[in-house]
Amino acid sequence: MRTKVVIIGAGPAGLLLGHLLENQGIETVILERRSRDYVLGRIRAGVLEQGTVELLEQAGVSGRMQAEGLIRDGVELSFDGDAHRFDFRELVGRTVMVYGQTEVTRDLMQARDAAGATTIYEAENVALHDFDGDKPRVSYLKDGTEHEISCDFIAGCDGYHGVSRASVPETALRTFERVYPFGWLGILVDRPPVADELIYAHHSRGFALCSMRSPTRSRYYVQVSTDEKVEDWSDDRFWDELRRRLNDETAGRLLTGPSIEKSIAPLRSFVAEPLRFGHLFLAGDAAHIVPPTGAKGLNLAASDVRYLAEALIEYYEERSSAGIDAYSARALARVWKAERFSWWMTSILHTFPDTDAFGRRMQRTEFDYLVSSEAASRSLAENYTGLPF
Ligand code: APR
Ligand code: PHB
């Protein structure tokens, strides 16, 4: 088999890249290790920056998002019960959209089916060959038979644990990492959200987040230590802990119910440099991880993919390598700024086991400064709604 671009991974990065390329008549094949149902069963974050929304609109995959997504003008941050609303529309004239990543994935899968493009699910033993030259190949096993695809380029969109980054010689790669000493225990529940807008709460017992998927479905998180087991968290224990971390007014309004999903996710910051190795590119979680506190994971995958799609389109339409040569530096410049924002939000909102009294006062003072300074508020709003790309 032969195609122009082999994309490894059918998460949002791989599917969106495939869609942007197919829209321009550039043929792609996506290889995905899991089944379609497995990919659609993963619960992920749910806040889209305005730039991501616009990209999905331009790409022609925004119909359901526009009908069902919830535009939100601001968020609330609360510190030991003192709450402050940041009005993004007023501060920077921009908004965000609440629309689950799983739904973005579903919409992209449907668009790919409608375009008749090839996705091979349950592709095992995916292996990358000769990407340092101009005749790369990708091999895989499907239903016990070995296959091979020759292509011009390989796009590694296979997430943090994927094979693409792992195929690059260690000496060619520089990595930067911070692992946080806590995780997030998340719950999904069919009850209306406690508030229309998201609430990020710092509390001496740990961080809590109130989010949503729709007017009737809510997503809540509490910070837990890394050794916690999800089996030890009954729904009642979760709700009690969440209430204790919210201020009385919010806690009093909380509508609880049986969880429909409950899981613990670790928190990590990670960046690999560069994002290009000959004819292989990395994009999305394959290249970088952010802690979820800034709601940036999917949005960074979208900006990488936009840069990469532009570069590949330029290559095929104008026979120019300028875009692909610039891809890594262009994408990384934005990645690092989102890494900074995600790290900063994580640092002020969580409790750290080794923070002393001075460190706690610094966290409180960050909050007081954010609330009292319009410049600081605008900086938060500018980053949360998304830096330009
Ligand atoms: N071969 C083929 N596919 C693979 C392999 C492999 N060896 N390894 C992983 N994959 C697939 C995974 O099964 C997954 O479907 O690659 C896909 C990667 O998708 P995501 O993990 O969703 O990553 P990405 O598309 O970059 O999306 C980034 O996802 O994790 C969140 O916070 C993150 O919101 C961000 C978004
Ligand atoms: C979510 O809704 O799952 C969510 C929202 C905002 C975040 C992280 C997760 O910062």
Side-chain angles (χ1 to χ4, degrees), residues 48-76:
L48 306 182
E49 295 173 354
Q50 191 167 320
T52 304
V53 170
E54 285 160 6
L55 179 61
L56 294 169
E57 284 168 359
Q58 286 155 16
V61 276
S62 61
R64 202 163 62 93
M65 176 185 76
Q66 269 151 348
E68 296 174 18
L70 310 170
I71 291 179
R72 290 295 175 256
D73 288 357
V75 292
E76 180 178 300

mmCIF file of all heavy atoms in Angstrom, residues 48-76:
data_model
loop_
_atom_site.group_PDB
_atom_site.id
_atom_site.type_symbol
_atom_site.label_atom_id
_atom_site.label_comp_id
_atom_site.label_asym_id
_atom_site.label_seq_id
_atom_site.Cartn_x
_atom_site.Cartn_y
_atom_site.Cartn_z
ATOM 1 N N LEU A 48 -12.723 24.017 25.118
ATOM 2 C CA LEU A 48 -12.057 24.380 23.861
ATOM 3 C C LEU A 48 -11.787 25.883 23.849
ATOM 4 O O LEU A 48 -12.678 26.690 24.119
ATOM 5 C CB LEU A 48 -12.945 24.036 22.662
ATOM 6 C CG LEU A 48 -13.462 22.593 22.572
ATOM 7 C CD1 LEU A 48 -14.285 22.406 21.294
ATOM 8 C CD2 LEU A 48 -12.310 21.605 22.606
ATOM 9 N N GLU A 49 -10.544 26.225 23.518
ATOM 10 C CA GLU A 49 -10.211 27.640 23.327
ATOM 11 C C GLU A 49 -10.963 28.171 22.106
ATOM 12 O O GLU A 49 -11.319 27.402 21.204
ATOM 13 C CB GLU A 49 -8.705 27.787 23.043
ATOM 14 C CG GLU A 49 -7.807 27.395 24.193
ATOM 15 C CD GLU A 49 -6.333 27.407 23.781
ATOM 16 O OE1 GLU A 49 -6.025 27.612 22.586
ATOM 17 O OE2 GLU A 49 -5.495 27.196 24.667
ATOM 18 N N GLN A 50 -11.108 29.490 22.054
ATOM 19 C CA GLN A 50 -11.812 30.075 20.915
ATOM 20 C C GLN A 50 -11.102 29.739 19.594
ATOM 21 O O GLN A 50 -11.758 29.461 18.586
ATOM 22 C CB GLN A 50 -11.904 31.595 21.098
ATOM 23 C CG GLN A 50 -12.852 32.218 20.100
ATOM 24 C CD GLN A 50 -13.198 33.653 20.448
ATOM 25 O OE1 GLN A 50 -13.398 33.991 21.606
ATOM 26 N NE2 GLN A 50 -13.263 34.494 19.431
ATOM 27 N N GLY A 51 -9.779 29.703 19.602
ATOM 28 C CA GLY A 51 -9.027 29.363 18.387
ATOM 29 C C GLY A 51 -9.279 27.931 17.929
ATOM 30 O O GLY A 51 -9.314 27.644 16.727
ATOM 31 N N THR A 52 -9.448 27.019 18.884
ATOM 32 C CA THR A 52 -9.756 25.623 18.533
ATOM 33 C C THR A 52 -11.155 25.538 17.924
ATOM 34 O O THR A 52 -11.377 24.849 16.922
ATOM 35 C CB THR A 52 -9.655 24.724 19.789
ATOM 36 O OG1 THR A 52 -8.349 24.887 20.359
ATOM 37 C CG2 THR A 52 -9.904 23.271 19.460
ATOM 38 N N VAL A 53 -12.086 26.282 18.516
ATOM 39 C CA VAL A 53 -13.458 26.326 17.988
ATOM 40 C C VAL A 53 -13.437 26.849 16.546
ATOM 41 O O VAL A 53 -14.044 26.261 15.644
ATOM 42 C CB VAL A 53 -14.356 27.222 18.882
ATOM 43 C CG1 VAL A 53 -15.706 27.491 18.241
ATOM 44 C CG2 VAL A 53 -14.528 26.585 20.256
ATOM 45 N N GLU A 54 -12.675 27.917 16.331
ATOM 46 C CA GLU A 54 -12.607 28.504 14.988
ATOM 47 C C GLU A 54 -11.968 27.534 13.988
ATOM 48 O O GLU A 54 -12.407 27.429 12.845
ATOM 49 C CB GLU A 54 -11.825 29.835 15.042
ATOM 50 C CG GLU A 54 -12.664 30.942 15.669
ATOM 51 C CD GLU A 54 -11.842 32.127 16.206
ATOM 52 O OE1 GLU A 54 -10.607 32.158 15.999
ATOM 53 O OE2 GLU A 54 -12.446 33.004 16.849
ATOM 54 N N LEU A 55 -10.960 26.805 14.441
ATOM 55 C CA LEU A 55 -10.304 25.827 13.562
ATOM 56 C C LEU A 55 -11.295 24.723 13.158
ATOM 57 O O LEU A 55 -11.357 24.328 11.990
ATOM 58 C CB LEU A 55 -9.078 25.229 14.283
ATOM 59 C CG LEU A 55 -8.284 24.178 13.533
ATOM 60 C CD1 LEU A 55 -7.707 24.743 12.231
ATOM 61 C CD2 LEU A 55 -7.133 23.648 14.406
ATOM 62 N N LEU A 56 -12.071 24.250 14.131
ATOM 63 C CA LEU A 56 -13.056 23.201 13.820
ATOM 64 C C LEU A 56 -14.142 23.750 12.884
ATOM 65 O O LEU A 56 -14.641 23.035 12.008
ATOM 66 C CB LEU A 56 -13.664 22.633 15.109
ATOM 67 C CG LEU A 56 -12.676 21.867 16.010
ATOM 68 C CD1 LEU A 56 -13.280 21.572 17.375
ATOM 69 C CD2 LEU A 56 -12.224 20.553 15.352
ATOM 70 N N GLU A 57 -14.483 25.025 13.055
ATOM 71 C CA GLU A 57 -15.467 25.650 12.150
ATOM 72 C C GLU A 57 -14.919 25.721 10.727
ATOM 73 O O GLU A 57 -15.571 25.296 9.776
ATOM 74 C CB GLU A 57 -15.822 27.064 12.643
ATOM 75 C CG GLU A 57 -16.768 27.051 13.843
ATOM 76 C CD GLU A 57 -16.890 28.421 14.533
ATOM 77 O OE1 GLU A 57 -16.230 29.392 14.105
ATOM 78 O OE2 GLU A 57 -17.656 28.485 15.506
ATOM 79 N N GLN A 58 -13.686 26.234 10.608
ATOM 80 C CA GLN A 58 -13.072 26.358 9.267
ATOM 81 C C GLN A 58 -12.935 24.989 8.611
ATOM 82 O O GLN A 58 -13.020 24.861 7.392
ATOM 83 C CB GLN A 58 -11.676 26.991 9.369
ATOM 84 C CG GLN A 58 -11.700 28.480 9.652
ATOM 85 C CD GLN A 58 -10.407 28.934 10.349
ATOM 86 O OE1 GLN A 58 -9.412 28.226 10.352
ATOM 87 N NE2 GLN A 58 -10.446 30.108 10.943
ATOM 88 N N ALA A 59 -12.687 23.958 9.439
ATOM 89 C CA ALA A 59 -12.480 22.614 8.892
ATOM 90 C C ALA A 59 -13.805 21.946 8.521
ATOM 91 O O ALA A 59 -13.814 20.845 7.971
ATOM 92 C CB ALA A 59 -11.723 21.761 9.908
ATOM 93 N N GLY A 60 -14.923 22.597 8.869
ATOM 94 C CA GLY A 60 -16.235 22.055 8.510
ATOM 95 C C GLY A 60 -16.676 20.890 9.388
ATOM 96 O O GLY A 60 -17.419 20.018 8.957
ATOM 97 N N VAL A 61 -16.227 20.864 10.646
ATOM 98 C CA VAL A 61 -16.664 19.781 11.552
ATOM 99 C C VAL A 61 -17.281 20.353 12.831
ATOM 100 O O VAL A 61 -17.098 19.811 13.915
ATOM 101 C CB VAL A 61 -15.491 18.834 11.948
ATOM 102 C CG1 VAL A 61 -15.260 17.778 10.914
ATOM 103 C CG2 VAL A 61 -14.220 19.603 12.255
ATOM 104 N N SER A 62 -18.018 21.447 12.672
ATOM 105 C CA SER A 62 -18.480 22.123 13.887
ATOM 106 C C SER A 62 -19.993 22.081 14.075
ATOM 107 O O SER A 62 -20.510 22.677 15.019
ATOM 108 C CB SER A 62 -18.012 23.582 13.851
ATOM 109 O OG SER A 62 -18.574 24.225 12.720
ATOM 110 N N GLY A 63 -20.713 21.355 13.209
ATOM 111 C CA GLY A 63 -22.182 21.387 13.261
ATOM 112 C C GLY A 63 -22.733 21.041 14.637
ATOM 113 O O GLY A 63 -23.466 21.820 15.252
ATOM 114 N N ARG A 64 -22.367 19.855 15.125
ATOM 115 C CA ARG A 64 -22.917 19.414 16.413
ATOM 116 C C ARG A 64 -22.354 20.254 17.555
ATOM 117 O O ARG A 64 -23.065 20.572 18.515
ATOM 118 C CB ARG A 64 -22.590 17.926 16.616
ATOM 119 C CG ARG A 64 -23.518 17.249 17.602
ATOM 120 C CD ARG A 64 -23.450 15.742 17.459
ATOM 121 N NE ARG A 64 -22.132 15.208 17.745
ATOM 122 C CZ ARG A 64 -21.739 14.762 18.942
ATOM 123 N NH1 ARG A 64 -22.578 14.803 19.962
ATOM 124 N NH2 ARG A 64 -20.539 14.276 19.120
ATOM 125 N N MET A 65 -21.076 20.637 17.438
ATOM 126 C CA MET A 65 -20.465 21.461 18.491
ATOM 127 C C MET A 65 -21.225 22.788 18.639
ATOM 128 O O MET A 65 -21.498 23.244 19.746
ATOM 129 C CB MET A 65 -18.996 21.721 18.143
ATOM 130 C CG MET A 65 -18.282 22.637 19.106
ATOM 131 S SD MET A 65 -16.616 22.994 18.551
ATOM 132 C CE MET A 65 -16.942 24.179 17.254
ATOM 133 N N GLN A 66 -21.584 23.387 17.481
ATOM 134 C CA GLN A 66 -22.299 24.667 17.568
ATOM 135 C C GLN A 66 -23.688 24.483 18.180
ATOM 136 O O GLN A 66 -24.183 25.342 18.885
ATOM 137 C CB GLN A 66 -22.403 25.320 16.195
ATOM 138 C CG GLN A 66 -21.226 26.238 15.950
ATOM 139 C CD GLN A 66 -20.865 26.367 14.493
ATOM 140 O OE1 GLN A 66 -21.343 25.610 13.658
ATOM 141 N NE2 GLN A 66 -19.998 27.315 14.195
ATOM 142 N N ALA A 67 -24.298 23.314 17.915
ATOM 143 C CA ALA A 67 -25.645 23.074 18.448
ATOM 144 C C ALA A 67 -25.609 22.708 19.932
ATOM 145 O O ALA A 67 -26.467 23.131 20.705
ATOM 146 C CB ALA A 67 -26.318 21.955 17.646
ATOM 147 N N GLU A 68 -24.608 21.917 20.327
ATOM 148 C CA GLU A 68 -24.632 21.364 21.688
ATOM 149 C C GLU A 68 -23.600 21.969 22.634
ATOM 150 O O GLU A 68 -23.728 21.842 23.853
ATOM 151 C CB GLU A 68 -24.406 19.840 21.627
ATOM 152 C CG GLU A 68 -25.522 19.129 20.901
ATOM 153 C CD GLU A 68 -25.251 17.634 20.712
ATOM 154 O OE1 GLU A 68 -24.382 17.087 21.422
ATOM 155 O OE2 GLU A 68 -25.916 17.035 19.857
ATOM 156 N N GLY A 69 -22.539 22.590 22.084
ATOM 157 C CA GLY A 69 -21.483 23.149 22.939
ATOM 158 C C GLY A 69 -21.999 24.347 23.716
ATOM 159 O O GLY A 69 -22.942 25.022 23.298
ATOM 160 N N LEU A 70 -21.387 24.592 24.860
ATOM 161 C CA LEU A 70 -21.821 25.687 25.725
ATOM 162 C C LEU A 70 -20.748 26.767 25.728
ATOM 163 O O LEU A 70 -19.638 26.535 26.199
ATOM 164 C CB LEU A 70 -22.029 25.188 27.155
ATOM 165 C CG LEU A 70 -22.884 23.925 27.329
ATOM 166 C CD1 LEU A 70 -22.796 23.420 28.761
ATOM 167 C CD2 LEU A 70 -24.345 24.215 26.953
ATOM 168 N N ILE A 71 -21.077 27.943 25.183
ATOM 169 C CA ILE A 71 -20.104 29.047 25.209
ATOM 170 C C ILE A 71 -20.081 29.625 26.622
ATOM 171 O O ILE A 71 -21.135 29.871 27.213
ATOM 172 C CB ILE A 71 -20.475 30.124 24.180
ATOM 173 C CG1 ILE A 71 -20.263 29.536 22.774
ATOM 174 C CG2 ILE A 71 -19.620 31.388 24.363
ATOM 175 C CD1 ILE A 71 -20.603 30.468 21.651
ATOM 176 N N ARG A 72 -18.885 29.789 27.162
ATOM 177 C CA ARG A 72 -18.752 30.314 28.511
ATOM 178 C C ARG A 72 -17.877 31.563 28.507
ATOM 179 O O ARG A 72 -16.806 31.573 27.938
ATOM 180 C CB ARG A 72 -18.156 29.249 29.450
ATOM 181 C CG ARG A 72 -19.128 28.090 29.720
ATOM 182 C CD ARG A 72 -20.352 28.615 30.479
ATOM 183 N NE ARG A 72 -21.399 27.633 30.707
ATOM 184 C CZ ARG A 72 -22.565 27.563 30.035
ATOM 185 N NH1 ARG A 72 -22.798 28.408 29.046
ATOM 186 N NH2 ARG A 72 -23.478 26.672 30.346
ATOM 187 N N ASP A 73 -18.356 32.596 29.179
ATOM 188 C CA ASP A 73 -17.682 33.900 29.149
ATOM 189 C C ASP A 73 -16.624 34.064 30.227
ATOM 190 O O ASP A 73 -15.881 35.043 30.215
ATOM 191 C CB ASP A 73 -18.714 35.020 29.378
ATOM 192 C CG ASP A 73 -19.615 35.203 28.176
ATOM 193 O OD1 ASP A 73 -19.397 34.519 27.164
ATOM 194 O OD2 ASP A 73 -20.529 36.045 28.266
ATOM 195 N N GLY A 74 -16.603 33.154 31.212
ATOM 196 C CA GLY A 74 -15.643 33.343 32.301
ATOM 197 C C GLY A 74 -15.505 32.096 33.143
ATOM 198 O O GLY A 74 -16.120 31.065 32.856
ATOM 199 N N VAL A 75 -14.637 32.178 34.160
ATOM 200 C CA VAL A 75 -14.523 31.111 35.163
ATOM 201 C C VAL A 75 -14.432 31.748 36.539
ATOM 202 O O VAL A 75 -14.143 32.938 36.673
ATOM 203 C CB VAL A 75 -13.249 30.226 35.002
ATOM 204 C CG1 VAL A 75 -13.288 29.375 33.764
ATOM 205 C CG2 VAL A 75 -11.963 31.037 35.103
ATOM 206 N N GLU A 76 -14.685 30.906 37.555
ATOM 207 C CA GLU A 76 -14.498 31.353 38.931
ATOM 208 C C GLU A 76 -13.267 30.677 39.508
ATOM 209 O O GLU A 76 -13.058 29.488 39.291
ATOM 210 C CB GLU A 76 -15.731 30.966 39.762
ATOM 211 C CG GLU A 76 -15.624 31.387 41.215
ATOM 212 C CD GLU A 76 -16.893 31.023 41.990
ATOM 213 O OE1 GLU A 76 -17.988 31.502 41.625
ATOM 214 O OE2 GLU A 76 -16.767 30.247 42.958
#
